[in-house]
Amino acid sequence: MKRVFLCAIVMLLQYCAFAQAQKPFAIVIHGGAGTIRPGMISAADEAQYKQGLQKALDTGYAVLEKGSTALDAVQAAIVVLENDSMFNAGKGAVYAANGTIELDASIMDGSNLNAGAIAGVTTIKNPIMAARKVMEQSGHVMLARHGAEMFAEQQGCDIVPQSYFWTTKRRNAYEKQNETKGKKSHLGQPGNIDEKYGTVGAVALDKQGNLAAGTSTGGMTNKKFARIGDSPIIGAGTYADNNSCAVSCTGWGEYFIRLAMAKAIADRVELLNMPVDDAAKQMIHDRLQNMGATGGVIVLDKNGNISLQFNTDGMHRAWKKSTGESGVELYKQ
Ligand code: ASP
């Protein structure tokens, strides 16, 4: 009798280990949507974008593979992209109208709906890490500007001079915009909006079945008066809930805020039982499109289903699932 009981326990443990090993895990990242067409950039730049995405993807995936949390994977992937000057986040971020670089970021844990965000910071090397600290250590959800910087420093985040973020590519884009100033945009309304995208984001599902999402950006070139976009706003640029999905957005932030884009997708999945692909398509190709705005989203649900939607010419994106499915793409298929 004792032996039968022991056998049953061993079999149960083996089954549990098997079931755990079979649980899907996945990561999806983006590096911004916009006018991204074949032939528009050099082959060398194209290779660099792909390399950067691949590195971030592999870094995040390795975190999931060793059994760490979706939150850690999202953070790890975004840090790689923030440190890569090709993308509009951290080093390489775009210039605001006053010639400074002002960064926004947010992160959310789908297992408990905890979230953290920072906005309008100018000296934090990795904004996504500061957003995570806000979530875990501040008792608040969003901190802005100098206060956020003071808090990040107290928390041991790397603080750097503004010059750390500067790149010739972004400076040229900023100067080009200013040369044609006046002809271009109204207050707070971007001129050639597609030149301004390039935000980075990640969504992940870990072996424990938890979802997380994060987004980090320099915002839009020439943004004025401490403008804050959708990226640090929970429910607009970022959302994660184990009951629905994880979402990170990129695009014309003012419209993503008005649509509460990330939460609108999550609500469709949770309340209307829509597959993530249908929910993302409806929000991007109907709702956003009908408002005359552009951008894209990456979405991942607790079963590992993904959707990558954009109504621009391209979106830098990459995905990797425990099922073996993987890819890195820049353009429309
Ligand atoms: N959504 C960002 C913002 O409006 C820009 C982007 O995605 O590139 O700040």
Side-chain angles (χ1 to χ4, degrees):
M1 184 66 190
K2 211 169 157 190
R3 276 180 64 169
V4 174
F5 181 68
L6 272 176
C7 268
I9 297 274
V10 169
M11 278 168 68
L12 185 70
L13 286 175
Q14 279 174 340
Y15 173 77
C16 287
F18 177 76
Q20 183 70 16
Q22 294 308 300
K23 270 201 157 182
F25 59 95
I27 180 159
V28 186
I29 62 172
H30 71 76
T35 307
I36 303 166
R37 281 188 223 118
M40 275 184 68
I41 52 170
S42 67
D45 276 358
E46 198 176 284
Q48 246 183 296
Y49 276 122
K50 285 191 169 171
Q51 259 171 33
L53 288 167
Q54 190 70 57
K55 187 175 168 199
L57 188 74
D58 292 344
T59 303
Y61 190 83
V63 171
L64 296 172
E65 204 167 31
K66 70 167 203 255
S68 291
T69 63
L71 207 57
D72 285 342
V74 160
Q75 178 177 310
I78 291 180
V79 164
V80 171
L81 296 169
E82 284 177 341
N83 292 345
D84 185 332
S85 64
M86 296 300 281
F87 300 94
N88 174 18
K91 186 169 179 59
V94 299
Y95 286 75
N98 62 7
T100 61
I101 285 167
E102 299 171 0
L103 306 163
D104 306 328
S106 64
I107 193 161
M108 185 161 187
D109 183 344
S111 71
N112 51 20
L113 303 192
N114 283 343
I118 53 155
V121 297
T122 55
T123 58
I124 300 173
K125 182 178 179 223
N126 290 111
I128 197 69
M129 290 169 94
R132 174 99 178 252
K133 290 284 187 196
V134 171
M135 175 173 93
E136 291 174 346
Q137 306 294 336
S138 77
H140 302 296
V141 170
M142 185 191 266
L143 301 180
R145 296 171 72 82
H146 186 53
E149 283 163 357
M150 272 166 48
F151 170 77
E153 190 167 6
Q154 276 173 19
Q155 291 297 317
C157 293
D158 281 350
I159 302 296
V160 290
Q162 254 284 296
S163 55
Y164 164 80
F165 300 107
W166 296 346
T167 56
T168 312
K169 177 173 103 168
R170 299 298 187 192
R171 186 79 208 177
N172 289 344
Y174 165 73
E175 268 159 17
K176 204 169 123 202
Q177 282 237 334
N178 279 327
E179 270 167 28
T180 44
K181 225 179 189 174
K183 280 185 242 153
K184 279 227 158 166
S185 55
H186 297 298
L187 197 65
Q189 203 181 31
N192 180 359
I193 55 161
D194 279 342
E195 274 176 19
K196 300 184 178 69
Y197 297 166
T199 292
V200 308
V203 292
L205 168 68
D206 62 32
K207 289 184 181 176
Q208 292 71 44
N210 293 319
L211 289 164
T215 311
S216 181
T217 190
M220 295 170 88
T221 304
N222 242 349
K223 60 185 182 182
K224 299 174 182 71
F225 310 120
R227 174 264 190 193
I228 307 291
D230 60 310
S231 308
I233 298 180
I234 297 301
T238 302
Y239 201 72
D241 182 350
N242 282 0
N243 292 320
S244 53
C245 56
V247 185
S248 172
C249 304
T250 173
W252 194 343
E254 278 68 13
Y255 289 86
F256 281 68
I257 295 172
R258 290 176 185 135
L259 286 167
M261 177 63 81
K263 182 71 162 76
I265 292 174
D267 282 349
R268 278 164 174 71
V269 173
E270 185 180 357
L271 307 174
L272 304 178
N273 248 326
M274 273 192 188
V276 283
D277 208 36
D278 291 354
K281 280 181 176 154
Q282 190 179 88
M283 286 307 299
I284 294 295
H285 301 294
D286 294 346
R287 299 302 304 276
L288 186 72
Q289 181 77 30
N290 290 341
M291 286 178 92
T294 51
V297 290
I298 52 172
V299 191
L300 168 64
D301 74 11
K302 57 179 180 294
N303 299 315
N305 298 308
I306 65 174
S307 184
L308 303 90
Q309 297 299 323
F310 49 97
N311 67 346
T312 46
D313 286 324
M315 178 167 80
H316 294 156
R317 60 202 187 277
W319 62 96
K320 193 165 183 176
K321 295 187 185 189
S322 55
T323 51
E325 216 181 297
S326 175
V328 178
E329 297 288 350
L330 306 184
Y331 309 117
K332 220 177 236 170
Q333 289 302 292

